[in-house]
Amino acid sequence: MKLNNSFDLLEKSRKIIPSQTQTFSRSASSFVEGVYPVYVSHANGSKFVDVDGNEYLDYLLGLGPITLGYNYEPVNNAILSQLKKGILFSLPHYSEVELSEQISSIVPNAEMVKLEKTGSNAVTG
């Protein structure tokens, strides 16, 4: 297995990104250096391909694909649909209310819903 491109990117990242990633749980220091891929190129279903072309079964299942897998078509289509309408607004989007109502109706005793984008924000809240 070759990992040359991964290691080249890792060396570049050490000079420009603290912990070599924007999310600490994905940091190269979490894995055995020299034998584990560092950077992914693309993914589909339960597998990902690193920047060197090696394919892996993703046992880590992190940051989203644990539920549906990578590149899940219904989610991709929903994202593309929303991209055409815009994704960042100066006011709350009506879908926040719709989703919060749906979650509240499904989860027992969830009378209110607060969505967060990171674990740190959720714990702070």
Side-chain angles (χ1 to χ4, degrees):
M1 169 173 54
K2 71 176 188 170
L3 296 170
N4 298 343
N5 293 331
S6 265
F7 297 151
D8 289 346
L9 285 169
L10 180 61
E11 287 308 310
K12 287 181 184 180
S13 72
R14 283 190 170 126
K15 297 173 186 167
I16 193 79
I17 305 171
S19 297
Q20 297 82 50
T21 182
Q22 307 304 327
T23 307
F24 288 120
S25 64
R26 298 183 309 176
S27 175
S29 63
S30 298
F31 307 101
V32 178
E33 190 169 334
V35 297
Y36 199 84
V38 183
Y39 291 93
V40 67
S41 170
H42 58 280
N44 197 38
S46 62
K47 297 179 180 175
F48 71 89
V49 177
D50 70 11
V51 293
D52 290 288
N54 302 303
E55 184 179 73
Y56 304 87
L57 178 60
D58 187 1
Y59 284 108
L60 296 177
L61 304 169
L63 303 173
I66 190 169
T67 305
L68 302 172
Y70 294 103
N71 224 358
Y72 187 62
E73 191 169 348
V75 171
N76 290 354
N77 291 339
I79 292 168
L80 290 171
S81 175
Q82 186 60 51
L83 280 172
K84 293 175 186 174
K85 300 173 191 175
I87 57 168
L88 185 59
F89 306 100
S90 57
L91 298 174
H93 194 270
Y94 71 88
S95 64
E96 292 177 48
V97 176
E98 292 177 352
L99 177 60
S100 296
E101 287 177 328
Q102 187 174 16
I103 291 171
S104 184
S105 72
I106 293 170
V107 178
N109 301 311
E111 296 167 358
M112 298 182 83
V113 175
K114 175 71 173 149
L115 304 172
E116 288 296 343
K117 61 183 178 182
T118 71
S120 297
N121 284 357
V123 169
T124 300

